[in-house]
Amino acid sequence: MLFTRGGLKKIMLAMGLLAAFQLTPPAQAQEWSQIEQKARGQTVYWNAWGGDEAINAYIRWVGERVAEDYGVTVEHVKLADTADAVRKVVAEKSAGRNDGGSVDLIWINGENFKAMKDQALLHGPITDTLPNYALIDTKANPAVELDFTIPTEGLESPWGQAKLVFIYDSAVLQDPPKTMIALQAYALAHPGRVTYPAPPQFLGTTFLKQALYEVVETPDALLQPAGDNFESVTAPLWAYLDKIHPALWREGRDYPDGDDALIRLLDEGAVDFALSFHPGRASSAITQGLLPDTARTFVLDGGTIGNTHYVAVPYNAAHKEGAMVLANFLLSPEAQAQKQDPDIWGDMTVLTMDKLAPEGRALFDALPRGIATLSPAKLGPTLPEPHPSWMTQIENKWLERYGS
Amino acid sequence: MAVDVIPSKAGARAGRQGLGIRCAPPLTLLIFLGPVAAGLIGTLLPAFGYLPALGGDQLSLDPWRALARYPGVETAALRSLMTGLIATGLSVALVLYFIAAFHGTAWFQWARTVLAPLLSIPHAAMAMGLAFLLAPSGWIVRLISPWATGFDRPPDLALAPDPYGWSLVLALVIKEVPFLFLMTMGALGQVPAQKSMQIAQSLGYDRATGWLKTVLPQLYGQIRLPIFAVLAFSVSVVDVALILTVTPSPTLGVLILRWANDPDLSQNFVAAAGACIQCLLVLLAIAIWVMGERFISWLGLAWIRKGNRRAPHGVKQLTLTGMSLAAGLGIAGLMGLVIWSFAKRWRFPDSLPSVWSLDNWGRGFARVAEPLATTLWVGLAAAGVALILVILCLEAEQRTGRRPTHRALWLLYLPLIVPQIAFLFGAQILMVVVGIDGHWAGLIWAHLLFVLPYIFLSLSDPYRALDSRYARTAACLGASPWRVFRQVKMPMLLRPILIAFAVGFAVSVGEYLPTVFAGAGRLTTLTTEAVALAGGGDRRLIGTLVVLQSILPLILFAIAAAAPFLIRRAAFTGKKRL
Amino acid sequence: MTVPEGLTLNQVSLSIGGNSLFAPLSLYVPPGQVTTIMGASGSGKSTLLSAICGTLDPAFTLKGAIGLKGRDITGLPPHTRRAGILFQDDLLFPHLSVADNLAFGLPVGLDRRERQDRIRAALVDAGLEDFGARNPATLSGGQRARIACLRALLADPDALLLDEPFSKLDSQLRDRFRQFVFDHASAQKLPVLLVTHDPEDAEKAKGTTIHLTL
């Protein structure tokens, strides 16, 4: 026998170190290889919204790949609402379970992230540990480190980007309205054909933000926390909504639940526009038989709101290493390209193409673009999310004015 | 169940034979009611601001203030109360008058055949069927469009879900009528209905009048608890309300769930306060009902004294129409979803799919495989455990001669009367402490709470009705109590036992809130998946989920009906050698 | 002192809620003989039989002692008392075939061959040789009654208790079945306690008759 068992292990470790050496500083590499070792054999409970079968299927694929390459088993804990996972971590903290927690990784952003960050319920910073995080040029794309204007501080790892798009049926409508004001005019001319989900549903909140950006006099104020200026800044929004509401679907007495519901209403012909945060959504809905193949996507002239979604590890996660390996795999060109494939999910990548090796870039170049998906150039500028303090107040005021 | 028992002096001697089995009733109560009480406390404390994990470490009234400030909370509470009372009132009136006017007729047999299977269909499935049937883009509008209505787009009307709660009332009536019908049928056996009717009819009263004046007063006491359970359920129902109320006009239960799920964790306090209000709302509903009972019995007495022999004209036809409508809408809605499960494209205003496909059952089946498996295992396990506990309790009751009093029966109904959300909220924290949240054990236990009462109600009568002389004969033939239990009672009670098991399984399949709270998102069933999609999800997927949801209990009932027959046939033909 | 081979009741009384059903009763039924107990409905005749075979409803209180074949069986569980009982109804187990009903009565510990032989012999005895695999529901009332009796006897009891077992049969059948039961009991030398309304039963029993009174 040439090597003892221990000797072989040392040599393999050294080879692994050597290979990693060329890419990253040794301390991080060593740490990462230890994480990978610890992760092997772990089962990661990934709490992720489970309402979209295309996404669920993608997550299943991720699970298979991570099991193959890293020996990590992924259990997709399908949430109806991400807040469920937050509540669980809170419940565990209140029960004194500070380790061995049942949530290992959460698909998260916005208010849920803010809630967990504020209560110190997150493990990390983690992003500097993830080797693939280097594939994001955070200088060129600072938005990935600002989650609804809240600095992520490395506590969550970017996974994908969303951008508000509008969907219409080109067989019904030739020239869709390209501004929120034009949409208001369309609604008044065609009562009952326009609607949006009720806040605090995020797509509904985004619709309000989109209108806010267009009608507000000083858009820059929205990036700072709301203060005494709330009434004066938002007054044009309420004027806009007061005018459009009587002309909404069901005269504004009912609202769809989200983009699935909007797509169903569009397909039935009950409304003329659907909203989605996924630029590829119209194409995938056509493939799934949920929309006619005449459905198309458009964006507004001044740009639409976009944001980043992330994964984060709770402070008490039982399988932190497995969760980190999973988070790192999610940032690999392979996983990101697969995710951006419109036939699979169609979610925009967070990676910076310039940072990728040619093979990695080729994966993205080879992606088909569905017939109803806009090219990156036509997707237009991305507007940043306003500071959350605006939306909390706007949601409350909306509920008071139009809620019941 | 025998906590509160009629004392008996000779019990000790007889009980010596089954020392172990005497622990069954207290053990069952412990498993069953202990966590309910703990859960209620776990809800009550946060309602007064105490939940250290969220920074609430002293008692305060802030959650109540926040609750009172929330826009629309009073209307939501009023909506819960009114829909619950109206739905219960309609169901009770429909069932009682139908039985009064039609018992012993062919219509009655028809109702029995149709309603029994409807009982096993989960509430959520029925509500979703109704939602598809009555929606502006639903089946009924499709069937008459565009040729009769001129609609080539769905009309912009809020039909179902609607802002007033009518579709919610309708769905509750469709679901509660079979339950009350079968409960009343069971209770009828315990009063001398036949004799009372003979006397009344010989005195010249027509069928309905005679029944209402002579049988109903004797019967009502027996069905009062089930009616309260229906009332409490209707006032606090969440899944049906999620499906059939519109977002801006929710019921209180829906609001509580919304707060409990709010990303802003401080809303948990408001949710807890809301859950307490929900409890009070149920008590208020019961109080109103009891006042209504008094009023009606006062009116009824006057009616009896007047001596009218004939029921008012037309009420009979109205009842028959109501019953047929309830059953018809329920079945038609389910049929619509069955069709959806075989559809690829079914656009408005097509009456039937333009492209059919088996994809939902073939390639797309992966989408439902996991919740299907969970539903199946949890249902079988919860019904199995509950069945064992119930049989042990009933056996203990027979061996010790202790029978639960009326008050003990109230305890059994407790999980059916206390609003689920009120103790599930607190029980969730308890489960985290024990470490069974999101695990099978927690989920099975949560289902057990609701499965056990129904199994007990289903099995106790046949168990007690079994001629005790069979067991005595067997004992005198030298069979030990265990052998009597195994070889005499179990085989003779096989059919009611299997039916009770199927009832328990059906209850488990339909549970929504217990799965949401105990499954913690990790374990989802057909019902939670379907409700999650109800708002606007893919109707083909909803159809597949609902078909599975409805068919699983039916399969079990079919097995329960067929198995004893097959086993018995084997017993008489398989031993030719003798 | 000789051990009494029959059934002994010593100052037996039954009460419910403090009310006695009948005055304390003492009697001895020798093996092979029939003692008849008569009394009005509700006088506690059937309850007395339950007390002897050990299946007394716990609501009742039993005082006194019961002896069978020299054993004090008062506190024993029913399946160890070896007191067989026949009721008004035959109570054949509906889920078991005729032969399995008979097999239910056989003591455990016999080998398979022995069991089969005894069952076949009982079937022959009842005149139902080919009926072993039948569902008991397909038998006539008289046939069922005979099987019930043989089932009780196959258990090899030390006494036979009869709770009006003849009252539901029509008169012709009743005579024959009564004779059948008495013949078998006397052949096995069993003490028999018969509870009945029918003076004819008492007459045919040829033994002591006791009237239960308070």
Side-chain angles (χ1 to χ4, degrees), chain B residues 25-332:
Chain B
L27 183 75
T28 304
L29 272 180
L30 196 72
I31 298 176
F32 182 61
L33 288 178
V36 176
L40 281 173
I41 294 167
T43 303
L44 205 58
L45 288 178
F48 288 93
Y50 188 81
L51 185 57
L54 288 179
D57 39 22
Q58 50 193 346
L59 297 181
S60 85
L61 288 175
D62 290 346
W64 296 92
R65 293 195 191 100
L67 181 74
R69 274 200 308 271
Y70 194 87
V73 70
E74 304 91 345
T75 31
L78 191 65
R79 193 174 288 117
S80 290
L81 187 68
M82 292 313 292
T83 50
L85 280 169
I86 293 173
T88 311
L90 274 177
S91 311
V92 170
L94 208 53
V95 164
L96 291 182
Y97 203 89
F98 183 81
I99 294 180
F102 293 98
H103 68 100
T105 67
W107 281 113
F108 195 70
Q109 280 311 315
W110 165 85
R112 254 188 136 149
T113 327
V114 172
L115 294 180
L118 282 185
L119 185 61
S120 72
I121 310 274
H123 280 84
M126 198 69 92
M128 261 169 311
L130 199 64
F132 170 59
L133 203 60
L134 301 183
S137 63
W139 210 8
I140 292 179
V141 177
R142 285 171 194 238
L143 287 172
I144 55 171
S145 298
W147 56 272
T149 60
F151 298 143
D152 53 0
R153 288 163 170 258
D156 189 12
L157 298 168
L159 299 171
D162 71 298
Y164 308 104
W166 290 117
S167 52
L168 173 60
V169 167
L170 189 57
L172 288 171
V173 169
I174 291 175
K175 221 6 234 171
E176 300 309 355
V177 158
F179 175 71
L180 287 171
F181 182 81
L182 294 173
M183 289 307 279
T184 312
M185 293 306 302
L188 261 180
Q190 297 175 23
V191 297
Q194 203 90 39
K195 284 176 191 157
S196 305
M197 277 308 290
Q198 275 169 6
I199 292 166
Q201 283 179 318
S202 73
L203 293 171
Y205 288 86
D206 73 8
R207 194 200 304 269
T209 315
W211 196 89
L212 291 174
K213 288 187 174 182
T214 65
V215 182
L216 181 59
Q218 307 178 61
L219 182 78
Y220 187 77
Q222 311 264 356
I223 54 169
R224 205 164 172 233
L225 266 177
I227 289 176
F228 285 174
V230 165
L231 181 61
F233 178 89
S234 304
V235 169
S236 55
V237 65
V238 172
D239 52 355
V240 181
L242 275 173
I243 298 164
L244 289 173
T245 57
V246 298
T247 321
S249 320
T251 60
L252 184 64
V254 172
L255 270 186
I256 297 169
L257 190 65
R258 236 183 250 171
W259 292 321
N261 284 337
D262 200 290
D264 177 2
L265 298 172
S266 64
Q267 293 291 310
N268 270 321
F269 293 106
V270 186
C276 294
I277 294 288
Q278 181 76 75
C279 276
L280 295 177
L281 213 54
V282 165
L283 287 179
L284 179 63
I286 291 178
I288 294 175
W289 187 268
V290 170
M291 284 196 300
E293 279 174 356
R294 297 247 168 97
F295 181 64
I296 286 175
S297 71
W298 176 75
L299 276 185
L301 200 59
W303 186 49
I304 292 172
R305 286 181 182 146
K306 267 165 74 184
N308 310 35
R309 300 294 202 264
R310 299 260 173 275
H313 199 66
V315 182
K316 199 173 153 181
Q317 276 65 34
L318 201 67
T319 314
L320 188 60
T321 314
M323 274 312 243
S324 315
L325 211 60
L329 287 175
I331 293 168

Side-chain angles (χ1 to χ4, degrees), chain A residues 238-251:
Chain A
W238 306 115
Y240 177 90
L241 292 176
D242 283 348
K243 198 167 162 193
I244 197 174
H245 263 241
L248 289 181
W249 178 72
R250 302 272 161 90
E251 293 166 351

